[in-house]
Amino acid sequence: MPQGDYIELHRKRYGYRPDHFERKRKKEARLVHKRSEIAQKALGIKGKMFAKKRYAEKALMKKTLAMHEESSTRHKVDDDVHEGAVPTYLLDRDNTTRAKTLSNSIKQKRKERAGRWEVPLPKVRPVAEDEMFKVLRTGKRKTKQWKRMITKATFVGPGFTRKPPKYERFIRPSGLRFTKAHVTHPELKCTFNLEIIGVKKNPNGQMYTSLGVLTKGTIIEVNVSELGLVTPNGKVVWGKYAQVTNNPENDGCVNAVLLV
Amino acid sequence: MVQYNFKKMTVVPCGKDFIDIILSRTQRQTPTVVHKGYAINRLRQFYMRKVKYTQTNFHEKLSTIIDEFPRLDDIHPFYGDLLHVLYNKDHYKLALGQINTARNLVSKIAKDYVKLLKYGDSLYRCKSLKVAALGRMCTVIKRIGPSLAYLEQIRQHMARLPSIDPNTRTILICGYPNVGKSSFINKITRADVDVQPYAFTTKSLFVGHTDYKYLRYQVIDTPGILDRPFEDRNIIEMCSITALAHLRAAVLFFLDISGSCGYSIAQQAALFHSIKSLFMNKPLIIVCNKTDLQPLEGISEEDMKLVTEMKAEAMKTVIGQGGEATNDDGVLLTMSTLTEEGVISVKNAACERLLNQRVELKMKSKKINDCLNRFHVAMPKPRDQKERPPCIPHAVLEAKAKQAAEKKKRTTEKDLENENGGAGVYSASLKKNYILANDEWKEDIMPEILDGHNVFDFVDPDILNRLEELDREEGYTQAEETDDFEMDGMELTPEEQKALAEIRQKKSLLIQQHRIKKSTAESRPTVPRKFDKDREFTSKRMGRQLSALGIDPAMAINRARSRSVSRRGRKRERSLDKGDTDGAGVVDMDVDTPKKKLHVMSRPHSRSRSRPPTDVVPGEGFKDSSQKSKALDKARKSVKNRNKNARRGEADRVIPNLKPKHLFSGKRSNGKTQRR
């Protein structure tokens, strides 16, 4: 049976086929044509994937080519005109520039109007009530329609107990409850899986805040003790705010960005 | 019994390919069409199926990988150790552990997302959930990419390991590098191990098989071991140490007494003493190799002492097995792989020692008693002290001896060839055994072609007999003729005899001709005289025959010529039947009729056969030559054979429509073109 490095041994003893190198060279030369044939003929999802791969390769190739081509040559230098430099026949005139100057007060007022927080997602799409709630018919004849089931992701605290089923108006299904969020630190650019402490504010309304609904743009408070942040006083920071950046009900997870 | 064949492991795909395979399989094997207006349950089910299918496939493929790679603790310790030496047990276990966690993660992801999909209330939401699920699963696999690559490399290396059965009869060869271990194994088995003058040519274990006493033995060639402390040993040496440590085998310790390997006997003895602990309970044989360069007796005193020390050690193992203390032949052996002396005896000694040891062990074990109780070898008791050797009759012995001698006596052609210079020089004479009437004809050259004919077509072995027969026939006819020369009792004069002979000859000729004609008349239709194409019946011939009879042929010839076909058209001529007055010369004829363009017959008889075929001859019915030529053409063409070969003819020419418009129009550029 072939054992050890039998391929190399065979090569050492008997050498290559007489036409081995020729065939290899020709096969490699033919690869180019074959690739182009595939690129032209592939249809459907295969074609798309191939085109994407090929595009990435081409971009890379172009970059390396450009890199190889750049050489230290001398170009003619255009003298930059300085700001405010003026030709001789205009030397005696005063140049006035117009600019919009905003007074400080106006800036302050604008900020107040915008809200206290500067958040990454200032505006979000409003969520309609029929999108948020699903009507559940109850009762013996299924005629009562006062119960609602929330169709979006929610957060309920660890000590949450349901109201007695007969009286609860809003049902938060357990399959849609999330406890953890993927929080990105905007400066460090890395993501952590942190526990949610609570929902601070939902932009769609105060009712949703109290229900604990997590939609895009919701401000949540997360437990950052594993980041090891410390206040200048020396106290350990263990809770920070973050804003939800995706639609959790579509993605199955809560992605948020930390508000520093 | 587990077969240690690692060639059957499936290929471990790399991370990217793995993902591609699974995702494309999902796309192909699950239904692909879904619309917004379907019932929500149907939409949910559609996407849940995809998620579950992908998870199942991942699970299956990862499970095969985990199951096929051997668990180092479950296999024979030899292989466990060997794999540890080669691949590092920790890394190996880590990699497999990562695959396992990936498998569990993928299952968890699928479970979570299937739960979430139950709350999907729109196509978009279900679709995004499915995309998220598949994406997360693929990320998990992408993360274990390096582990997959590592496992693939291990698998490739494992497939090339020799399949050694750790439980069967094994002979292990060890020693310093370059002492001749690989040459030895090449000699006794069919393993083709590379033999080179540099050290560490053999970098891993090699296995070969050999037979002894109808049993198969494994022979394992190890890489050379250097004399170093245990911790400093590299991977290659550790392979041989592992083999020594775990396999129950007969050990052949090779010693190079000529020193041509580059290490002295002292160094080799030092190595021996440092690894002698590994030789516990194994039949050990010390083999002195390369005796063609340096015989064992010729080494120096100190070296001899070292060798005897080693021999003493080896003897201990013999004693330990309960063998005879005095049998020291099987402990120290000499051989030379170059001249092949002693090789077989070394192999036999090793196999014998191993076999004895194994048999002993088996006899000592408890299991053997179950077998021993079940069979009994019966030896017949001798009746008396008389010796009864086998009895062969004298005649048979003689016959056998004679046969043997005869076999040698006859010189074969092959022997002759070898004597006279070999295959290219000597060419055997194929004619020397010919059977001919006269032996001198053997070397004659036989002609093959004569006058354009094959001689062999005319060769007839009975030709002499036939000749005799013919002669006999002729003799009869002659006898008849001589008898018939006496007509009615009268004797004829010689002139008369001559005339009679002539007449008879002519008659016989005629009869022969007639017979020939008659014989061919059945197969061929006879052509009547007026159509003779061979031009036998010419007027010249008639003239000759008449003159032979003694008659002047001139008039007859003229008459014949006047009746010839070529003169049929001459209407205005005076017929020449009545007289022979104007044989030659033609009475003036009206030759200038403008309508009938008759050919001027100035010399009828000499031109009777030289008219061109397009000539219109009076009596044929044509208006003029051109009409005749047209008629001839038509006649010629009508006789053309029909082409019955079913091949395309001129009438079958078709002009195809290579670019039908309906196949080349439309918005689609690619794709099937049977319809647009």
Side-chain angles (χ1 to χ4, degrees):
Chain A
M1 89 213 122
Q3 28 182 343
D5 288 334
Y6 59 98
I7 299 173
E8 277 86 15
L9 191 61
H10 186 276
R11 286 235 172 105
K12 205 159 65 154
R13 281 187 185 159
Y14 305 109
Y16 290 95
R17 271 174 76 132
D19 54 359
H20 175 261
F21 295 106
E22 176 88 12
R23 268 163 51 127
K24 197 167 163 200
R25 178 182 64 82
K26 291 193 108 167
K27 194 165 186 181
E28 278 161 19
R30 261 182 271 137
L31 273 179
V32 179
H33 296 285
K34 213 168 160 74
R35 266 193 111 189
S36 100
E37 193 188 328
I38 295 172
Q40 286 171 32
K41 286 209 174 148
L43 298 174
I45 188 74
K46 255 195 207 168
K48 282 189 196 164
M49 282 168 62
F50 187 82
K52 193 166 165 204
K53 246 197 297 182
R54 191 99 170 99
Y55 178 75
E57 274 173 30
K58 274 194 173 168
L60 196 62
M61 229 183 340
K62 274 198 176 157
K63 267 198 206 158
T64 49
L65 278 174
M67 239 170 53
H68 285 307
E69 272 177 15
E70 75 182 15
S71 48
S72 50
T73 49
R74 290 152 57 150
H75 294 284
K76 185 171 138 194
V77 171
D78 288 326
D79 289 329
D80 286 326
V81 182
H82 290 289
E83 281 275 329
V86 147
T88 37
Y89 48 87
L90 286 176
L91 262 178
D92 287 333
R93 300 199 191 182
D94 291 322
N95 236 347
T96 52
T97 55
R98 291 173 195 266
K100 288 199 172 164
T101 49
L102 286 176
S103 60
N104 222 4
S105 51
I106 298 177
K107 282 191 198 164
Q108 276 261 1
K109 278 196 194 146
R110 276 201 185 161
K111 212 167 152 186
E112 263 167 33
R113 245 179 279 145
R116 200 149 299 164
W117 299 95
E118 264 184 23
V119 286
L121 300 176
K123 282 205 192 137
V124 287
R125 189 178 72 87
V127 179
E129 211 181 274
D130 54 356
E131 193 186 326
M132 179 75 78
F133 299 124
K134 181 175 146 158
V135 179
L136 289 181
R137 288 172 169 256
T138 51
K140 198 171 192 184
R141 310 267 179 269
K142 299 279 187 241
T143 46
K144 301 197 183 169
Q145 294 184 44
W146 51 269
K147 277 192 182 239
R148 299 280 183 275
M149 182 170 86
I150 297 178
T151 60
K152 304 271 178 191
T154 55
F155 172 74
V156 294
F160 173 77
T161 18
R162 293 161 57 186
K163 270 165 71 169
K166 188 176 163 136
Y167 300 110
E168 69 178 340
R169 199 182 317 173
F170 295 105
I171 298 175
R172 278 160 279 194
S174 58
L176 288 173
R177 291 184 199 163
F178 287 95
T179 48
K180 286 198 161 204
H182 303 151
V183 183
T184 315
H185 197 291
E187 264 128 55
L188 298 175
K189 303 274 191 236
C190 46
T191 317
F192 307 93
N193 203 10
L194 305 173
E195 261 188 37
I196 307 176
I197 301 171
V199 174
K200 175 76 178 163
K201 184 161 171 59
N202 192 314
N204 297 107
Q206 183 253 338
M207 176 172 63
Y208 301 132
T209 315
S210 60
L211 282 173
V213 176
L214 299 169
T215 53
K216 187 166 179 176
T218 313
I219 313 283
I220 56 175
E221 193 173 354
V222 287
N223 181 346
V224 294
S225 47
E226 69 173 52
L227 290 181
L229 301 170
V230 181
T231 61
N233 292 348
K235 293 204 189 125
V236 175
V237 178
W238 71 280
K240 259 190 167 292
Y241 289 129
Q243 191 181 26
V244 177
T245 52
N246 72 332
N247 290 318
E249 71 277 1
N250 284 349
D251 294 333
C253 57
V254 184
N255 295 345
V257 72
L258 201 61
L259 300 174
V260 281
Chain B
M1 175 110 115
V2 185
Q3 262 297 58
Y4 291 104
N5 188 3
F6 299 126
K7 293 192 210 289
K8 297 246 176 83
M9 298 200 280
T10 42
V11 179
V12 179
C14 77
K16 261 202 189 157
D17 288 346
F18 202 168
I19 296 171
D20 281 342
I21 292 168
I22 303 283
L23 287 182
S24 64
R25 193 184 291 182
T26 311
Q27 198 226 356
R28 275 180 292 128
Q29 306 284 4
T30 51
T32 50
V33 180
V34 77
H35 294 300
K36 211 163 42 165
Y38 288 176
I40 188 67
N41 267 338
R42 191 170 164 189
L43 290 171
R44 285 187 194 142
Q45 198 189 51
F46 179 83
Y47 287 110
M48 278 201 270
R49 182 176 174 172
K50 288 201 186 259
V51 171
K52 204 70 188 109
Y53 188 80
T54 312
Q55 182 260 332
T56 322
N57 277 336
F58 271 127
H59 186 93
E60 196 187 303
K61 276 201 167 293
L62 292 171
S63 303
T64 42
I65 294 173
I66 293 171
D67 291 335
E68 282 190 346
F69 273 86
R71 287 214 191 131
L72 296 184
D73 304 321
D74 288 349
I75 52 179
H76 194 273
F78 163 63
Y79 267 106
D81 243 0
L82 186 68
L83 294 179
H84 171 53
V85 160
L86 290 170
Y87 315 126
N88 196 358
K89 194 157 58 167
D90 300 327
H91 285 170
Y92 179 84
K93 278 190 178 173
L94 266 173
L96 284 179
Q98 275 196 354
I99 308 276
N100 198 20
T101 33
R103 186 176 57 167
N104 292 340
L105 279 175
V106 164
S107 301
K108 211 148 60 94
I109 291 171
K111 200 162 60 137
D112 289 340
Y113 275 85
V114 162
K115 240 187 334 170
L116 273 172
L117 266 166
K118 290 188 194 148
Y119 295 103
D121 50 8
S122 70
L123 177 104
Y124 178 72
R125 191 157 152 186
C126 293
K127 186 172 179 182
S128 334
L129 282 169
K130 163 235 174 197
V131 166
L134 295 196
R136 277 175 88 157
M137 288 192 239
C138 293
T139 329
V140 170
I141 302 297
K142 220 168 26 161
R143 274 209 311 256
I144 61 166
S147 295
L148 289 170
Y150 171 72
L151 284 173
E152 171 61 17
Q153 282 202 352
I154 288 188
R155 181 200 73 88
Q156 282 180 359
H157 194 273
M158 258 200 236
R160 287 197 241 125
L161 288 179
S163 52
I164 300 174
D165 187 354
N167 299 322
T168 178
R169 303 160 285 274
T170 321
I171 298 177
L172 207 53
I173 311 176
C174 60
Y176 250 86
N178 264 352
V179 293
K181 307 185 287 293
S182 302
S183 325
F184 179 67
I185 194 176
N186 281 344
K187 285 274 178 295
I188 53 172
T189 70
R190 284 205 66 196
D192 227 347
V193 186
D194 208 16
V195 174
Q196 296 287 343
Y198 59 87
F200 290 106
T201 315
T202 311
K203 294 194 235 338
S204 63
L205 300 174
F206 282 90
V207 92
H209 295 84
T210 178
D211 295 321
Y212 178 75
K213 279 191 182 169
Y214 310 109
L215 289 171
R216 185 139 275 202
Y217 287 76
Q218 274 181 148
V219 186
I220 301 184
D221 180 27
T222 65
I225 316 173
L226 295 173
D227 191 18
R228 289 204 273 214
F230 187 78
E231 301 79 28
D232 293 350
R233 291 202 188 280
N234 57 24
I235 295 179
I236 303 177
E237 290 171 342
M238 280 308 291
C239 281
S240 25
I241 303 283
T242 313
L244 274 173
H246 290 284
L247 293 173
R248 274 189 326 137
V251 180
L252 294 173
F253 186 84
F254 267 52
L255 203 54
D256 178 4
I257 42 181
S258 71
S260 59
C261 64
Y263 306 98
S264 67
I265 297 188
Q267 287 172 307
Q268 297 179 47
L271 172 71
F272 178 84
H273 288 293
S274 64
I275 60 173
K276 66 183 173 201
S277 56
L278 291 168
F279 299 149
M280 212 71 79
N281 295 335
K282 299 191 174 95
L284 173 64
I285 296 180
I286 300 176
V287 179
C288 302
N289 199 9
K290 305 198 189 173
T291 50
D292 54 312
L293 294 172
Q294 163 82 305
L296 182 61
E297 292 72 43
I299 56 174
S300 66
E301 274 287 323
E302 305 138 4
D303 292 338
M304 202 62 206
K305 212 169 69 173
L306 290 166
V307 172
T308 31
E309 261 177 48
M310 290 200 280
K311 187 166 149 188
E313 282 289 338
M315 290 293 294
K316 285 192 203 156
T317 59
V318 176
I319 296 168
Q321 285 162 28
E324 299 96 53
T326 53
N327 184 13
D328 62 353
D329 292 334
V331 179
L332 180 70
L333 295 164
T334 58
M335 72 165 194
S336 164
T337 47
L338 192 64
T339 58
E340 288 191 43
E341 53 166 316
V343 170
I344 306 288
S345 55
V346 167
K347 172 194 129 182
N348 288 346
C351 294
E352 189 69 42
R353 290 268 303 272
L354 182 66
L355 190 62
N356 290 341
Q357 191 215 25
R358 282 175 75 100
V359 165
E360 247 186 71
L361 270 169
K362 284 205 175 133
M363 297 294 275
K364 281 194 206 149
S365 76
K366 291 188 196 148
K367 276 199 286 184
I368 198 75
N369 292 328
D370 302 333
C371 301
L372 275 179
N373 291 338
R374 292 200 201 140
F375 64 84
H376 165 70
V377 178
M379 295 291 290
K381 258 206 257 184
R383 203 166 34 155
D384 53 20
Q385 296 297 327
K386 196 165 159 193
E387 255 204 45
R388 293 183 177 88
C391 168
I392 306 173
H394 199 59
V396 170
L397 278 171
E398 273 177 15
K400 271 203 178 158
K402 211 166 70 165
Q403 227 182 30
E406 256 182 19
K407 262 195 181 173
K408 295 202 169 173
K409 253 199 263 173
R410 192 179 143 219
T411 48
T412 55
E413 281 292 340
K414 192 96 186 165
D415 292 335
L416 271 180
E417 191 184 80
N418 286 335
E419 277 168 29
N420 292 344
V425 178
Y426 172 79
S427 64
S429 96
L430 302 164
K431 300 189 184 175
K432 78 175 179 199
N433 288 333
Y434 278 6
I435 304 168
L436 297 169
N438 188 350
D439 276 340
E440 289 165 13
W441 297 340
K442 274 190 197 174
E443 298 298 323
D444 286 352
I445 303 171
M446 176 87 184
E448 290 179 15
I449 298 178
L450 193 64
D451 290 345
H453 297 286
N454 250 342
V455 165
F456 281 113
D457 286 344
F458 295 91
V459 162
D460 191 354
D462 302 330
I463 198 153
L464 288 172
N465 293 341
R466 297 258 176 87
L467 198 59
E468 256 186 50
E469 277 179 30
L470 269 174
D471 277 342
R472 258 183 276 139
E473 276 179 26
E474 263 182 52
Y476 283 145
T477 50
Q478 276 200 348
E480 275 179 12
E481 284 180 21
T482 51
D483 284 341
D484 289 339
F485 273 143
E486 293 181 357
M487 246 171 51
D488 302 329
M490 282 190 325
E491 279 253 8
L492 298 171
T493 61
E495 291 162 356
E496 282 175 355
Q497 270 186 13
K498 219 171 73 178
L500 187 60
E502 268 185 42
I503 292 167
R504 286 216 173 112
Q505 208 187 20
K506 250 200 178 161
K507 195 172 165 190
S508 67
L509 259 170
L510 282 172
I511 290 170
Q512 264 184 37
Q513 267 188 7
H514 174 76
R515 282 202 184 127
I516 287 171
K517 265 208 286 187
K518 207 169 80 170
S519 68
T520 58
E522 292 160 8
S523 53
R524 256 183 273 154
T526 43
V527 180
R529 185 187 276 240
K530 66 176 178 171
F531 295 127
D532 71 323
K533 64 175 171 81
D534 294 336
R535 312 239 173 128
E536 279 174 34
F537 305 104
T538 52
S539 44
K540 270 209 196 106
R541 181 177 156 186
M542 187 175 72
R544 256 189 281 126
Q545 285 181 337
L546 285 174
S547 45
L549 289 172
I551 308 167
D552 179 25
M555 280 192 44
I557 288 175
N558 285 340
R559 193 166 44 239
R561 284 198 180 139
S562 73
R563 284 219 166 97
S564 80
V565 174
S566 50
R567 288 174 55 116
R568 247 193 262 141
R570 293 146 144 271
K571 290 192 180 165
R572 301 262 189 121
E573 228 183 82
R574 242 191 269 162
S575 76
L576 297 169
D577 319 66
K578 19 184 203 174
D580 320 19
T581 44
D582 301 358
V586 178
V587 186
D588 66 304
M589 203 182 90
D590 195 8
V591 290
D592 295 312
T593 48
K595 288 184 187 157
K596 301 186 187 175
K597 289 188 199 151
L598 294 172
H599 193 82
V600 175
M601 291 306 210
S602 49
R603 297 194 295 151
H605 26 276
S606 57
R607 282 183 66 79
S608 62
R609 286 240 159 77
S610 59
R611 262 199 222 121
T614 47
D615 248 27
V616 175
V617 166
E620 280 183 345
F622 294 113
K623 173 167 76 161
D624 48 21
S625 326
S626 64
Q627 198 191 51
K628 182 175 178 186
S629 58
K630 273 193 206 149
L632 282 174
D633 259 340
K634 272 213 168 106
R636 183 171 60 87
K637 282 195 184 149
S638 75
V639 189
K640 220 183 203 173
N641 280 340
R642 269 178 66 199
N643 173 9
K644 292 188 205 153
N645 295 336
R647 276 194 255 141
R648 210 167 80 158
E650 312 162 318
D652 305 316
R653 210 178 286 144
V654 165
I655 298 169
N657 187 5
L658 289 169
K659 285 193 131 195
K661 185 169 169 191
H662 70 284
L663 292 180
F664 285 89
S665 59
K667 290 185 189 168
R668 269 187 291 143
S669 55
N670 254 347
K672 276 210 264 192
T673 50
Q674 278 170 12
R675 53 170 185 80
R676 288 241 170 217

